[in-house]
Amino acid sequence: MTPTHVPEQFDRTMGCTAAELMSWLPRSLPDAQLAVDATLGRCVASWSEGTLSLRWSPLPDRCIALLRIPQLQVHFAFQGLDDAARYARQKFFDLHTHRGGG
């Protein structure tokens, strides 16, 4: 769920692998120019009004009984986008990277 106020910078733990995150980037940031560096775990999404820089690093899997969920620590840094634009971009990103049901 996207908070009503999206700060310019924040960290989030996501339940995915780096490969999964990179495969989601084009559809979760569809109108952005993307510069992805998989080796360094970075992506910069650029729009005319500003940018979103993502940095990620793997965390240990979350284990629940026999279930193992990969995790990434992802740092989000918006630059040049006002509150409304950050909210809209983050909400779209969240809707297209959300997993699970119900």
Side-chain angles (χ1 to χ4, degrees):
M1 183 170 143
T2 306
T4 56
H5 172 72
V6 176
E8 290 183 0
Q9 293 191 31
F10 62 94
D11 292 309
R12 176 184 285 173
T13 300
M14 295 182 67
C16 62
T17 65
E20 289 170 325
L21 177 62
M22 287 185 296
S23 74
W24 297 338
L25 291 174
R27 71 181 161 115
S28 61
L29 303 166
D31 55 345
Q33 290 185 317
L34 298 177
V36 180
D37 186 333
T39 305
L40 295 176
R42 293 183 184 175
C43 172
V44 176
S46 301
W47 299 275
S48 60
E49 69 271 19
T51 62
L52 167 60
S53 298
L54 300 171
R55 288 191 330 262
W56 58 87
S57 57
L59 293 171
D61 289 354
R62 175 168 289 161
C63 298
I64 305 168
L66 297 176
L67 178 65
R68 298 179 73 80
I69 302 170
Q71 298 187 106
L72 288 180
Q73 182 70 30
V74 183
H75 178 75
F76 293 76
F78 288 95
Q79 190 170 39
L81 292 128
D82 63 20
D83 288 342
R86 287 194 309 272
Y87 175 78
R89 301 287 184 195
Q90 189 65 44
K91 184 169 178 81
F92 194 89
F93 180 90
D94 290 347
L95 287 171
H96 287 83
T97 60
H98 180 77
R99 288 185 136 175

